[in-house]
Amino acid sequence: MTFEMSRRGFLASAAAAAAGLALSPRGAFAADELVAATFGGTWANVQKQILPPYFVKRTGASVVQSPMLATEQIAKLTAAKGNQPPFDVAMLDEGPALEAIDAGLIAKYDPAKSPNFAALNPKFQGTFGPAITMQAIGIAYNPKTVKTPPTSWEDLWKPEYKGRVGITSLASTLGLAFLLDINRLAGGTEANMEPGFKKLKTLLPNLAAVSANFGAHGALFQQGEIDIGVQNFNFAEELKAKGVPIEFVRVDTGTPAWKTTMHIVAGALKPELAYAYVDSQISPEVQSEMQKSPWNVIPTSSKVPYAGLVAEKIAKTPTDLDKMVFFDWAKVNQNRAAWTQQFNRDIRA
């Protein structure tokens, strides 16, 4: 079965969803345009190919997706606060989401305007917006140059990987979660990051690059500039599907993970369209498509059973997600800016 054939069936589902959507009858938003933030890398690709066709079929409106890090979204919304926001839908990780809530940048989410919200696993039903997936991280490596598959973060410190390791900056949750986890393993806490920074400084001889974002990080693997490094599960699997020699493994000390959420921006210019867009993202049809390879996005709707590589490598049931390693993002937010300065000074410089 080709992708195009699957896509036709997918759009038929979108039409069925539109027929049952009381809040946004087909054609009501014709000629309207929504602006939504997304992440780079896999997210920019998967949301461009799967979410807009469903959303457009459902509403008749169009959408412009703007890729940027969660921290960039917060900065833009903060700068525009009190005036016209630059986008109507935000997509954030747990730490930035808490920051946005505290700053009054996003609105409370009304489940009555979101027919698919009730089908989410309760732990994904946020007061300020639904969790649309879980992000899980581990080690990605080039099997042509790394002959023994890594099993723990400690493998990144092996002498044979001198100048061949890649990580991301703390502007990305990927980089911050990696630092939090090696800090945890070194005896630190969210209130004491010094063990983690001390450990990370010893990695400097092996570091080839510190990427600013997911897109740049993926390019390092594609261009052969790094052989091994921290990476998101679904980002690594997307690169592999493109033919990049890369494998993903979970570390044996527990898989760091966090929720990624979607939100209606406070003062959104198109709030009804924003609800239709977020509700499309959490629909079983969209989540089922996004779970397929090469995307492998972990679904949060209880109507979508785990399958494919998600079931094989991450979780067979929602209970498996509970076994992952989570951090106290409220405490992390208290020190994130200071840690970023320390990271830029001691590691990235």
Side-chain angles (χ1 to χ4, degrees), residues 100-113:
I101 292 169
D102 290 344
L105 300 176
I106 55 180
K108 279 193 175 181
Y109 196 79
D110 184 354
K113 298 180 179 179

Side-chain angles (χ1 to χ4, degrees), residues 240-260:
K240 183 178 179 180
K242 290 179 178 178
V244 176
I246 190 171
E247 295 289 345
F248 174 87
V249 293
R250 295 168 62 180
V251 294
D252 57 11
T253 49
T255 301
W258 63 88
K259 298 173 187 173
T260 290

Side-chain angles (χ1 to χ4, degrees), residues 286-311:
V286 167
Q287 294 216 337
S288 294
E289 285 296 311
M290 288 191 175
Q291 183 179 212
K292 296 176 182 176
S293 290
W295 315 115
N296 305 297
V297 175
I298 301 171
T300 54
S301 172
S302 61
K303 293 184 176 180
V304 184
Y306 297 148
L309 289 178
V310 170

Side-chain angles (χ1 to χ4, degrees), residues 29-324:
F29 300 116
D32 274 351
E33 181 179 87
L34 180 75
V35 181
T38 183
F39 294 156
T42 293
W43 274 110
N45 296 329
V46 67
Q47 288 197 318
K48 179 180 179 181
Q49 296 193 33
I50 294 178
L51 184 53
Y54 186 93
F55 171 77
V56 170
K57 190 77 175 180
R58 177 173 169 174
T59 65
S62 60
V63 57
V64 174
Q65 295 170 321
S66 183
M68 65 188 91
L69 290 167
T71 50
E72 294 176 287
Q73 295 176 49
I74 297 295
K76 289 180 181 294
L77 291 176
T78 300
K81 190 174 182 181
N83 297 300
Q84 179 176 315
F87 45 89
D88 298 310
V89 176
M91 180 170 155
L92 304 169
D93 291 327
E94 281 190 69
L98 290 174
E99 184 179 350
I101 292 169
D102 290 344
L105 300 176
I106 55 180
K108 279 193 175 181
Y109 196 79
D110 184 354
K113 298 180 179 179
S114 183
N116 288 306
F117 189 82
L120 294 179
N121 186 307
K123 63 186 173 186
F124 298 132
Q125 296 177 338
T127 303
F128 283 83
I132 62 171
T133 191
M134 290 286 295
Q135 306 266 6
I137 70 169
I139 295 176
Y141 66 98
N142 184 338
K144 292 183 177 179
T145 55
V146 177
K147 298 304 182 183
T148 302
T151 60
S152 75
W153 297 130
E154 286 295 331
D155 287 319
L156 301 179
W157 274 259
K158 286 184 174 179
E160 56 261 42
Y161 303 136
K162 183 177 182 179
R164 303 304 301 166
V165 174
I167 63 175
T168 71
S169 75
L170 298 199
S172 164
T173 304
L174 172 63
L176 181 54
F178 170 63
L179 177 58
L180 286 164
D181 204 43
I182 63 171
N183 180 64
R184 174 182 70 89
L185 296 171
T189 67
E190 286 88 340
N192 175 23
M193 193 64 87
E194 286 312 305
F197 274 108
K198 183 178 179 181
K199 179 68 175 178
L200 191 57
K201 289 184 75 171
T202 65
L203 186 63
L204 284 174
N206 281 17
L207 281 184
V210 177
S211 308
N213 53 53
F214 289 129
H217 196 53
L220 293 176
F221 278 104
Q222 289 178 286
Q223 296 162 4
E225 295 183 29
I226 59 176
D227 291 328
I228 188 170
V230 60
Q231 184 61 287
N232 281 55
F233 156 69
N234 55 335
F235 282 28
E237 296 298 343
E238 184 197 5
L239 290 176
K240 183 178 179 180
K242 290 179 178 178
V244 176
I246 190 171
E247 295 289 345
F248 174 87
V249 293
R250 295 168 62 180
V251 294
D252 57 11
T253 49
T255 301
W258 63 88
K259 298 173 187 173
T260 290
T261 49
M262 256 190 189
H263 307 277
I264 311 299
V265 169
L269 300 183
K270 307 287 177 58
E272 288 194 54
L273 273 184
Y275 268 103
Y277 181 83
V278 175
D279 193 66
S280 295
Q281 174 63 71
I282 60 176
S283 69
E285 293 85 359
V286 167
Q287 294 216 337
S288 294
E289 285 296 311
M290 288 191 175
Q291 183 179 212
K292 296 176 182 176
S293 290
W295 315 115
N296 305 297
V297 175
I298 301 171
T300 54
S301 172
S302 61
K303 293 184 176 180
V304 184
Y306 297 148
L309 289 178
V310 170
E312 178 183 332
K313 292 191 173 184
I314 300 298
K316 289 181 171 51
T317 69
T319 303
D320 290 339
L321 296 179
D322 295 336
K323 302 172 185 175
M324 295 181 173

